[in-house]
Amino acid sequence: MKNIKVEWCENFIKKAFEKKQCKGIEVRCFWNMAERSGLWERGTYGTPMSKALEKLTKIETVSDKDGNFLYHVFRLAN
């Protein structure tokens, strides 16, 4: 894996939320975008992208009206 800086990943996250103009991005969709950008590699943990996500986002569970799990989303923490 190439040498990726946390700052690059933070910028990617901020731009992803701006571009999507949304409050949340579904987790699998986000990881696919990060992989296509070259800032994250599938199967890696503790990477700069993980550190940037931990700093900037929180994970929320989306459920249906009956409380059944649907999916998780990343939301900007601020």
Side-chain angles (χ1 to χ4, degrees), residues 7-75:
E7 181 182 1
W8 298 347
C9 297
E10 289 175 2
N11 290 335
F12 172 81
I13 293 166
K14 291 173 188 174
K15 292 288 183 190
F17 277 89
E18 284 177 20
K19 184 178 180 181
K20 295 282 186 186
Q21 295 181 350
C22 62
K23 294 182 182 180
I25 300 174
E26 194 269 334
V27 170
R28 286 179 295 179
C29 178
F30 177 85
W31 287 122
N32 288 336
M33 292 183 331
E35 186 174 32
R36 285 191 305 270
S37 76
L39 293 174
W40 179 75
E41 195 173 296
R42 194 165 299 278
T44 58
Y45 303 94
T47 62
M49 184 60 77
S50 299
K51 293 174 185 172
L53 282 166
E54 185 178 323
K55 180 178 178 181
L56 297 176
T57 67
K58 58 184 178 176
I59 298 177
E60 289 186 9
T61 300
V62 176
S63 303
D64 65 14
K65 63 179 180 169
D66 297 322
N68 299 311
F69 171 81
L70 294 175
Y71 53 90
H72 289 108
V73 294
F74 287 118
R75 297 200 192 274

